């Protein structure tokens, strides 16, 4: 780790009294783009209209698994208004977001793998003409065996979805990871209680309200420009260069304002390649906007998992060993699946300490829309199973579930069983906060039948040191340009996807240079203008982009303060910068505006600017895959939820959710709370409403916002964000992530609350009213059986 | 192709469009009023909500030709209307959404803000349950709705002079109180449009957010 | 964006003009009120009319009136929001007002109309989908195909009546006024009981032709001690169509006993179904008096015996069946208490 990567937790300036105070950090400042969004001025991908722009549409496979025998596009090409038709042969080079698994094509080359897989694309004068042309493309398919069930896909593979001639024995296996830490057998040997059970996590999807959209232009001097609703500009850039066989320097990728992502815009997508290729062929700008239905086919959502967990504990509640076996339904392509498979095991090892851990995770290809990273990638599913199982351990030991979790806390500045370094850890305070706010002690186990409280905890990464493609360059880079007008421009490759990362950049620049918010503007996610950043995923942005911003701004501060000090012939330590002014701490009469200070510095030092960067320290366990999930800092969360169960209808109503989250330091508490509330909402929705599934034909069961039921306002509980600050030694001013961690505990906390309410254990998602009724019936039957047994005694 | 006579944001406008185009398509792709968003294609999400004669309706299900003779208000119309009425800056509802952090990705918010605007015009003192009910046709995927309710309640409090409630995440200073510590002062003016967030002022007919194209 | 097929649009000002257009275009014309059902259906390629005839500009189709005998007359193009919030409608026909207030979400109730809800197309998870989706499965009985995906080997469409107001109007004995042009070109009107509008064919569940225009809904004055409520099962508290709807009308006599009752359920099969035995179980019993709880249970049991939801609309049909007695019980109780609707939020 370079010195640029660590900046401490303190404000940059000491005031005259020697105390350090933040100027803007920690304040609920408005967002850089709030008013633009509120007034309809913000420009999203589909808002871009270019002169002469063509509209493109995609032909999709109606078959779940088939070989493409022949494609005839001649009738489509002959339709007036059609400018180009492309197929898989137009762009045969495969790609994949993970370089080790390039198993996707922009358009299917010889095989389709799910209903909705992309087969051809048309550019025409308008959408109606492009749609009409799709109907004129003749495709001959040879049908192959269809695999909808992962067990079936693994055990009875005759037509592998991704044939591997060198290793045919792999069949439909996508990835398997088995890792063993500590002495698991001994752990179970020492246990006073062992709980073992099966759990199911269903499929869910991101459902950003903005559908995917991309626009491309190609100029005769061979510059390709792509505007795309992506959350990772850099990987799209790399994938375009590879597939289109263009030098990367002749491609510019720009992320316009983004209407939500949640992981669903992380992969390079077919439409990005298609509009680029169609623009190159036609010489016209080309736009493709996916319909909502197409977004459901593109998916990359939460992997369905079948999980088997076994946990041992001593009678004082200390966990002695955990053993997990997980089957992961991957859908048709790899996507981030290699990482998913690791994450399903790697990210369980906090906030609790356990001495022995074994997991065995297998990802399988099936003929369904491909799964990928959704908020809390790979770890939401095992967290659900484990946190429910911990409640079962508490029940078996007659322990309070919060006390059980306290008893197992791993502590700060420690190491997990799988070799991950833990720095700050505010989990105990999170537990205390939800215990207090939910009035746990007075109410848990004491509410009337039908009402209950449940708790769960979790941890998550603030980015990892695994940069998708191996390289030694920084993970985050930033440039600052200082203008004589008093304006500072920040150029960041980071992707603001609504979470507010540009606001974080601006706030940090303001803090370091003592500026008012309107003196800093941010340009982001434009590969021509901004240094490379690895994008908005793995909750890496605040931590990594934040540190890079401090790095760049501190260099500038030294330069400007040095110049002003030289001008005033005083020690640079006497220079204070704040609220748009620069003054001498020992002589307040010496005071100039930031703009004047910039001009003094520019005169003395030439044109002003700086760069900043961040890279992770060396982290991770010393084993294959040990760096996956190795984060420079982990966030911690606890939720308490309050539910009502209607025992006649089986409906679970979540009334309240208290979300305590250790984000290190809240650089902007309002934005942190927004992430916490949004995360909790999304988890609650997965638990009780949403289900992304296919029907018996492999066709998406209901690809619309009517049939895929995301909660409305009246379906969402009261959410109470409780911020915990542990001040991480390596985070920017101590900050860690807040955007994904707070989703995890929602789901198990509901299951645990339902147990408190009506005494049933829900282990299989989603918690539909029908399942609740069935479990209630089972419980009554068991009680009756016990009752009659007692009578007979 | 028909020539439609539409009254949008107070202006009578002639615009040519095929008869089968929806109002959303005409607003976005013929008139350049791209503030109304398209999320679901068919009336399930509320992102395309506009006010028709003051009532929140879905422009994606409105055949444009049938909007003739009605007053259409889009998100772009609120700020100018507020200025015309002698107000400062954006409509108080827009301002409150910004102050409360209710705009994450912002995609659902034009529709959400118009539903909220209509509610406050119709009911000067809605309860939280009434706010929830009135917004229940506008899906938001980012916020969990909490900061949206807080924004509507802040706009209400500002209108009545009442003290807004403090959020759970601010046990100390109330960020929305009328104190210097609050965020009533705009963090950034109209000049704060940034390129990378796609909010560049448009140049000519083409709207992009990069310099070179 | 999902596109509408090409069509022309007309917005006649009078019933006569509208009927003239229907006569001229025949099967190529379709009536549209709020468009909240027809427009998505057209985007899905389910209907491709050459001419869409909007009835929104016809004054005669607007508004709520009360005739001397207490009959409520509701113009077919009156919005659902308008009736749901109309004090007279709420007082005289509470079940109907409640049902109108639970249709879809706030914006759609301001667009959607009473007539549109009465005339709503039946719904099915295999039908309310895009052209691509339906084509992938070789289409279905209701549209473009010869297979039923709900009932394997089925030859009759079982798409479900999904209009919330229909069962309430049936329970209230409402009548519908239709107008059409006869072969001589004269405008003739007919009155049809709501009961007689629907038939058990999911492909098209109405006994009127495409050239007939619904003018008004007439709800006769209720009994002096009229009670009514609507219960709606759905996943979310807004936007969604019913997974089950139950309308209850109870008329009490002077002694407070049930003199007459009617229960109608929707979102089960192609037409709303009258729960005759359930209603009979209530008659003669007095709310709050001994025997009442048993009567309500008997009504619920009878409804359960009669209702057999199919996997036509989304959701677990076994669960929907299980909810029949629950919603029948709860909606009866709400009606008697002057409460409702029965809805989870």
């Amino acid at each position: 780790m370079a010195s640029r990567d660590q900046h401490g937790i303190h404000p940059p300036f000491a005031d005259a009294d020697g105390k350090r105070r933040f100027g803007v950090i920690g304040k609920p400042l408005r967002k850089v783009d709030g008013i633009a969004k509120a007034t309809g001025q913000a420009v999203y991908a589909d808002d871009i209209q270019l002169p002469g722009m063509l509209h493109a549409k995609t032909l999709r496979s109606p078959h779940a698994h088939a070989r493409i025998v022949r494609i005839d596009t001649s009738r489509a090409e002959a339709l007036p208004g059609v400018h180009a038709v492309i197929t898989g042969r137009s762009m045969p080079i495969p790609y994949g977001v993970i370089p080790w698994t390039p198993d996707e094509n922009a358009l299917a080359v010889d095989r389709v793998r799910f209903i909705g897989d992309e087969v051809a694309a048309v550019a025409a004068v308008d959408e109606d003409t492009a749609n009409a042309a799709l109907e004129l493309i003749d495709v001959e398919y040879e049908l192959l065996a269809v695999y909808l069930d992962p067990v079936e896909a693994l055990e009875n593979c005759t037509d592998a979805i991704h044939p591997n001639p060198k290793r045919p024995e792999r069949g439909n296996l996508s990835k398997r990871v088995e890792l063993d830490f500590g002495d698991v057998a001994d752990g179970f040997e020492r246990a006073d209680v062992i709980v073992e059970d099966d759990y199911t996590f269903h499929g869910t999807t991101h459902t950003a309200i903005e559908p995917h959209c991309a626009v491309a232009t190609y100029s005769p001097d061979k510059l390709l420009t792509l505007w795309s609703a992506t959350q990772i500009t850099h990987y799209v850039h790399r994938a375009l260069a590879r597939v289109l066989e263009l030098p990367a320097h002749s491609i510019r990728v720009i992320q316009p304002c983004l209407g939500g992502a949640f992981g669903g815009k992380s992969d390079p997508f077919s439409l990005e390649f298609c509009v680029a290729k169609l623009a190159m062929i036609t010489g016209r700008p080309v736009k493709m906007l996916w319909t909502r239905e197409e977004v459901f086919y593109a998916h990359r959502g939460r992997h369905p998992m079948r999980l088997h967990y076994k946990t041992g504990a001593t009678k004082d509640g200390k966990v002695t060993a955990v053993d997990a076996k997980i089957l992961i339904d991957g859908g048709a392509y790899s996507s981030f699946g290699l990482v998913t498979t690791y994450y399903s095991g790697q990210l369980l090892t906090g906030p609790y300490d356990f001495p022995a851990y074994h997991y065995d995770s297998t990802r399988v290809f099936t003929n369904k829309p491909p799964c990928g990273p959704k908020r809390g990638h790979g770890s939401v599913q095992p967290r659900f199973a484990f946190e429910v199982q911990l409640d079962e351990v508490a029940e078996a030991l007659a322990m309070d579930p919060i006390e059980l979790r306290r008893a197992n806390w791993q502590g700060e500045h420690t190491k997990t069983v799988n070799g991950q370094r833990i720095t700050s850890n505010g989990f105990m305070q999170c537990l205390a906060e939800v215990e207090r706010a939910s009035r746990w002690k007075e109410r848990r186990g004491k509410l009337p039948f039908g009402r209950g409280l449940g708790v769960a905890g979790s941890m998550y990464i603030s980015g990892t040191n695994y940069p998708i493609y191996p390289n030694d360059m920084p993970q985050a880079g930033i440039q600052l340009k200082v203008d004589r007008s008093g304006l500072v421009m920040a150029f960041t490759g980071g992707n603001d996807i609504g979470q507010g990362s540009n606001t974080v950049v601006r706030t940090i620049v303001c803090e370091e240079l003592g500026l008012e918010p309107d003196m800093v503007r941010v340009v982001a996610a434009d590969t021509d203008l901004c240094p490379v950043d690895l994008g908005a995923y793995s909750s890496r942005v605040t931590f990594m982009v934040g540190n890079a911003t401090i790095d760049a701004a501190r260099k500038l501060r030294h330069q400007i303060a040095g110049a002003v000090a030289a001008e005033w012939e005083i020690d640079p330590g006497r220079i204070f910068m704040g609220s748009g002014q620069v003054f001498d701490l020992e002589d307040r009469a010496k005071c100039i505006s930031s703009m004047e200070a910039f001009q003094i510095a520019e005169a003395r030092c030439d044109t002003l600017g700086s760069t900043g960067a961040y890279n992770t320290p060396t982290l991770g366990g010393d084993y294959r895959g040990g760096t996956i999930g190795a984060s420079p800092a982990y966030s911690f969360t606890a939720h308490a939820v309050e539910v009502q169960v209607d025992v006649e209808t089986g409906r679970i109503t979540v009334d309240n959710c208290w979300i305590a989250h250790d984000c290190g330091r809240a650089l902007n508490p309002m934005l942190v709370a927004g992430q916490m509330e949004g995360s909790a909402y999304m988890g609650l929705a997965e638990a009780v409403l949403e289900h992304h599934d296919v029907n018996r034909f492999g066709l998406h069961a209901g690809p619309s916002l009517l049939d895929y039921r995301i909660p409305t306002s009246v379906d969402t509980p009261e959410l109470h964000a409780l911020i915990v600050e542990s001040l991480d030694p390596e985070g920017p001013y101590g900050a860690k992530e807040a955007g994904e961690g707070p989703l995890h505990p929602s789901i198990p906390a509901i299951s645990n609350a339902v147990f408190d309410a009506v005494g049933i254990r829900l282990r299989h998602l989603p918690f539909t009213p029908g399942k609740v009724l069935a479990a209630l019936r089972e419980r009554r039957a068991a009680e009756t059986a016990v009752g009659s047994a007692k009578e007979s005694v | 192709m028909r020539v439609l006579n539409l009254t949008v944001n107070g202006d009578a406008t002639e615009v040519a469009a095929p008869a089968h185009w929806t109002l959303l398509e005409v607003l976005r792709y013929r008139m350049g009023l791209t503030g109304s968003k398209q999320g679901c294609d068919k009336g399930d999400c509320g992102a395309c909500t506009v006010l028709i004669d003051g009532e929140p309706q879905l422009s994606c299900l409105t055949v444009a030709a049938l909007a003739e003779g009605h007053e259409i208000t889009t998100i772009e119309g609120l700020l100018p209307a507020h200025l015309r009425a002698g107000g400062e800056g954006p409509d108080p509802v827009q301002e409150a959404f910004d102050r409360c952090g209710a705009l994450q990705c912002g995609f659902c918010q034009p529709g959400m803000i118009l539903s909220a605007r209509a509610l406050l015009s119709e009911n000067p003192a809605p309860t939280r349950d009434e706010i929830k009910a009135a917004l229940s046709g506008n899906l938001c995927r980012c916020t969990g709705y909490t900061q949206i309710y807080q924004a509507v309640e802040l706009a209400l409090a500002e209108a009545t002079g009442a003290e807004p409630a403090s959020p759970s995440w601010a046990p100390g200073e109330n960020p929305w109180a009328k104190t210097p510590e609050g965020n009533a002062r705009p963090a950034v003016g109209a000049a704060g449009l940034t390129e990378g967030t796609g909010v560049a002022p448009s140049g000519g007919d083409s709207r992009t957010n990069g310099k070179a194209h | 964006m999902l596109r509408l097929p090409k069509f022309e649009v007309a917005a006649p000002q009078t019933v006569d003009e509208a009927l003239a257009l229907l006569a001229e275009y025949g099967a190529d014309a379709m009536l549209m009120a709020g468009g909240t059902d027809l427009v998505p259906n057209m985007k899905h390629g389910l209907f491709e009319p050459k001419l869409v005839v909007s009835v929104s500009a016809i004054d005669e189709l607007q508004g709520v009136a009360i005739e001397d005998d207490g009959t409520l007359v509701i113009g077919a193009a009156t919005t659902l929001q308008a009736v749901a919030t109309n004090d007279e409608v709420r007082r005289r026909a509470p079940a109907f007002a409640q049902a109108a207030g639970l249709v879809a979400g706030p914006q759609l109730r301001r667009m959607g109309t009473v007539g549109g809800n009465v005339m709503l197309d039946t719904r099915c998870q295999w039908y309310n989908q895009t052209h691509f989706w339906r084509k992938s499965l070789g289409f279905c009985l209701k549209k473009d195909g010869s297979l039923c995906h709900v009932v394997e080997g089925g030859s009759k469409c079982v798409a479900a009546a999904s209009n919330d107001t229909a069962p309430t109007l049936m329970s209230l004995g409402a009548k519908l006024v239709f107008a059409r042009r006869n072969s001589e070109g004269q405008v003739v009107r007919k009155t049809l009981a709501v009961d007689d509008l629907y038939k058990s064919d999911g492909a098209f569940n109405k006994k009127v032709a495409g050239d007939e225009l619904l003018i008004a809904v007439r709800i006769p004055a209720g009994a002096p001690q009229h009670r009514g409520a609507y219960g709606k099962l759905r996943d979310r508290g807004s936007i969604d169509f019913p997974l089950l709807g139950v309308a209850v009308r109870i008329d009490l006599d002077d002694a407070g006993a049930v003199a007459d009752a009617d229960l109608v359920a929707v979102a089960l099969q192609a037409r709303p179904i009258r729960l005759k035995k359930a209603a009979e179980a209530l008659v003669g019993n007095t709310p709050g008096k001994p025997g009442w709880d048993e009567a309500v249970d008997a009504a619920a049991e009878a409804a359960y015996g009669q209702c057999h939801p199919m996997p036509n609309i989304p959701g677990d049909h076994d669960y929907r069946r299980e909810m029949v007695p629950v919603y029948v019980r709860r909606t009866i109780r709400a009606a008697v208490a002057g409460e409702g609707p029965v809805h989870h939020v």
Side-chain angles (χ1 to χ4, degrees), chain A residues 30 37 43-44 46-47 502, chain B residues 29 37 104-105 184 197-198:
Chain A
R30 306 186 197 201
K37 286 172 172 173
V43 178
Y44 298 78
D46 184 43
D47 301 341
N502 287 348
Chain B
Y29 306 129
K37 299 303 183 197
Q104 287 192 27
C105 86
T197 49

Side-chain angles (χ1 to χ4, degrees), chain B residues 27-177:
Chain B
L27 290 170
R28 289 181 55 78
Y29 306 129
R30 283 287 192 265
M31 302 180 70
L33 293 171
T34 53
S36 302
K37 299 303 183 197
Q38 192 282 121
C40 70
D41 293 310
K42 59 178 195 70
D44 303 326
C45 78
C48 68
T49 301
V50 297
L51 302 185
I52 298 185
D53 299 330
E55 296 215 353
Q57 301 195 12
L58 301 182
S59 60
C60 80
L61 296 185
T62 302
V63 174
L66 298 173
E68 286 184 319
H70 298 279
E71 294 276 341
I72 300 156
T73 305
T74 72
I75 192 68
E76 290 93 343
L78 292 191
L79 185 150
H82 189 61
L83 295 176
R84 272 200 303 277
E88 279 179 30
D91 183 279
V93 177
Q94 293 173 313
E95 173 76 354
F97 271 64
D98 185 30
R99 285 184 61 189
C100 293
L103 299 138
Q104 287 192 27
C105 86
F107 201 79
C108 71
Q109 301 296 5
M112 189 77 76
I113 287 170
L114 287 168
S115 284
R117 176 71 272 169
L119 169 70
L120 294 184
S121 301
E122 190 177 287
N123 179 353
T127 62
R128 178 163 283 204
D129 280 348
E130 286 170 335
I131 295 169
K132 285 185 181 183
L135 302 181
S136 68
N138 293 88
L139 297 174
C140 171
R141 196 57 165 164
C142 292
T143 60
Y145 301 101
T146 305
Q147 291 182 331
I148 291 168
Y149 308 147
Q150 289 164 348
V152 178
E153 287 163 357
L154 176 61
L156 263 176
E158 291 278 316
T160 60
E163 190 74 0
S166 193
S168 61
W169 48 266
E173 288 282 350
N174 182 346
W176 303 315

